[in-house]
Amino acid sequence: MSKEKVLITSALPYANGPIHLGHLSGAYLPADIYVRYKRLNGDDVLYICGSDEHGVPITITADKEGVSPQVIIDRYHEANKKAFDKFGMSFDNYSRTSLPIHHETAKEFFLEFFNRGLFVEKKSNQFYDEKAKMFLPDRYVEGTCPSCGNEQARSDECENCGSLYDPSELKNPKSKVSGETPVLKETTHYFFPLGNYQPALEKYVNEMNEKYCWKDNVLQYCRSWFKEGLKDRAITRDLDWGVKVPVDSAAGKVIYVWFEAVLGYISSTKEYSQLKNDPELWRKYWQDTSTKYIAFIGKDNVVFHTIIFPAILMAWNEGEREKYCLPQNVPANEFLNFEGKKFSKSRGWGIDVEEFLNIFPADPLRYTLAANLPEKSDTDFYWKEFQLRNNSELADILGNFINRTFTFVHKHFDGRVPIRGKLDKIDEDMLEEISEYPKRVSDLFERFRIKDGVNEIMNLARDGNKYFNDSEPWITVKSNKEKCATTLNVCLLAIYTLAELFYPVIPFSSEKIFKMLNSKPVAWKESGKSFLKEGHQINSAKILFPKIEDEVIEDQISKLGNADTEKEKKVDELISYDDFMKTKLKVAEVIAAEKIAKSKKLMKLKVLLDDGERQVVAGIAEHYNPEDLAGKKVVVVANLQPAKLMGEESQGMILAVDKEAGGLQVIVVDDSVKIGTRVK
Ligand SMILES: [Zn+2]
């Protein structure tokens, strides 16, 4: 296969909080594995990322802490960059959208479209805080939803019931900035005519899918958007923080973050070019039709990378200037959950990357996440699985195979690669197997089946152990040393190949293995064939994957917070109001009560309802004396089918609750309530 020029981007993480394991599984680890593989494959690879540093949530965090937005983005840009480094992310450039180079790029796109008359100007009413003298973005206004009465509804949207409404319909609006009641004021915004690009976008998605086989989940998202019909989208905001709209008539407005953030990939590449002292280098990737552009993202970003970003680039490409290439594939992943539930910082559910890597090395985490990527559906991180993957796979399969081979070579062959003698069937089979792995794995990686590729690589280590066992070098070392030498020669080839194939997945360990082999990676295609020369001196073996003890894992599990989500609290089946009203609960007065002779628990009560007297049998004799109840007003299920208890007929049921300290309490209402009143 000829050398490819590949541009790879991972979704820009939002600089408003620390990244967690779910982020890694979505847009970062699969991209890094692909990138590292492509580099070994000899392709011309550029891997771009950076922090997304604009938008309202950042200004809200800043307001809450009483600091400037710059403080927030500096904090999380640095923290996330450091966490990515520690995790072994091999970005060629990690930029930030607050840099002047990004502002220039975003303004250039805006002006190009503005000057061509592409934008539609629309007037709308928006909340304005007269005290703070500012227009209030959606999230800065709180009020009561006109549909469901939720008191934390936003200016034009209620997250509780999903209603969309005009801001004028919101009840009791309050500004989150000053606490004052905001007024509605007219403002003008520029809209990008996304709807006009729908036919071209559908054609683009279908063509890319036919040629490059997009993932089903990604196609489904796109098609559901197309089905609903794409609408014009406002691309300006009345806000301070962000890229200023570069036209005089729009003072006080910034470019809406969804429009400019995706352009961050381009500006990050420009920054990379400047750092390389080759300012035009970025064009070689972005403005060359031979570029294969792959955008790695999580499922929450699909619309931005398959519809909005391509539409922006299409609109640009309709002009007279150098044209951009569009994503060839967008292999979006689903979500990773944590121990069966969604990550939630506020509930202490899940773990930040930095925190994790302060306790454990990166490779076992990379391997665990890679072996279980949410490629087709959501998956889970479990502490126990992490321990198992480290102890039973990395240590017991891969580490053990390497260790036993090295020990043998040092003990019996002076630490030099033994001579490969006459090959038996078992050796020939193993050599063939080894030589086939690189192609097998690259076929999977090329189709973005990263998880399958990773699991396949571990199979080579399994094959290695089996070959070692079946060849019984501990016997042949005494009976047939030439045969023993051949076995270990083949085992070292398998290890050399494993070091190469595992390099994209567990790069830190792979480097150690190469060091132990006293060697370096080769071209991916050569791996499995080329070999260390006979007599080549290898270094001593190191422990690659220390076992993780139970206590260490239990300790982490015990730190988990309470992640009961709203949804889980509602596990009880819901009934309708009509269902509830089928049960006639009425207030009744107890006229007389007596214990049933043959029963310890039962008491016979005479109660008065609006339709007359009835007899009710209740299991309360252990908790009440009959005289305690006479004259009390209780709640009775009035339309319960009659039943016989200990020979006595019961024409209803008395409501009671368990007491915390044990015992029962009959529900009693006070005297002011009339007999027969319906409880509802
Ligand atoms: Zn609502």
Side-chain angles (χ1 to χ4, degrees), residues 145-150 153 158-163 165:
C145 167
S147 300
C148 75
N150 167 29
C158 170
E159 284 186 322
N160 186 50
C161 70
S163 299
Y165 38 82

Side-chain angles (χ1 to χ4, degrees), residues 78-128:
E78 289 308 323
N80 290 340
K81 190 169 189 269
K82 208 174 120 201
F84 279 138
D85 265 355
K86 228 170 163 180
F87 186 64
M89 292 298 299
S90 62
F91 303 123
D92 287 302
N93 196 44
Y94 190 76
S95 189
R96 39 194 319 196
T97 60
S98 60
L99 294 182
I101 198 166
H102 175 69
H103 284 232
E104 284 158 25
T105 303
K107 285 176 183 175
E108 188 188 16
F109 271 82
F110 187 97
L111 279 176
E112 168 75 17
F113 296 160
F114 181 82
N115 292 334
R116 272 175 20 206
L118 186 79
F119 295 141
V120 186
E121 265 185 76
K122 288 185 193 174
K123 289 186 197 314
S124 64
N125 282 322
Q126 204 178 330
F127 282 115
Y128 184 83

